[in-house]
Amino acid sequence: MSEEVVKKLIEEIREAIRNGKKVIINGTVVQKIDVMPSKRSYVIIINDVVTMYPSQFIRAKKVIL
């Protein structure tokens, strides 16, 4: 369930970035968002720096301008 939610959110964010919109997650302006497998499941990496677990990502404050 949550994996589908995360994939949908990431796709929405990528689409918004492609369309030239500004995406902010927890105060960080997103230029690049990646998903990498980890020991237990996977992690979301924002701008090659900020790493979030799926549960953190779902709870994070997201703004698309």
Side-chain angles (χ1 to χ4, degrees), residues 37-62:
S38 71
K39 284 179 228 139
R40 278 176 267 145
S41 60
Y42 57 96
V43 292
I44 292 115
I45 300 171
I46 300 165
N47 299 346
D48 297 324
V49 181
V50 181
T51 304
M52 286 184 175
Y53 290 104
S55 58
Q56 290 173 298
F57 180 71
I58 289 171
R59 286 193 312 267
K61 187 175 159 219
K62 295 174 234 8

Side-chain angles (χ1 to χ4, degrees), residues 21-36:
K21 293 188 176 172
K22 195 173 186 181
V23 180
I24 302 166
I25 297 177
N26 282 358
T28 303
V29 177
V30 179
Q31 279 126 8
K32 183 178 167 193
I33 188 162
D34 291 309
V35 178
M36 279 189 62

Side-chain angles (χ1 to χ4, degrees), residues 6-24:
V6 170
K7 282 182 180 174
K8 191 171 168 229
L9 283 169
I10 288 173
E11 202 44 55
E12 281 177 28
I13 290 167
R14 286 184 174 152
E15 188 66 35
I17 292 169
R18 274 196 294 271
N19 292 335
K21 293 188 176 172
K22 195 173 186 181
V23 180
I24 302 166

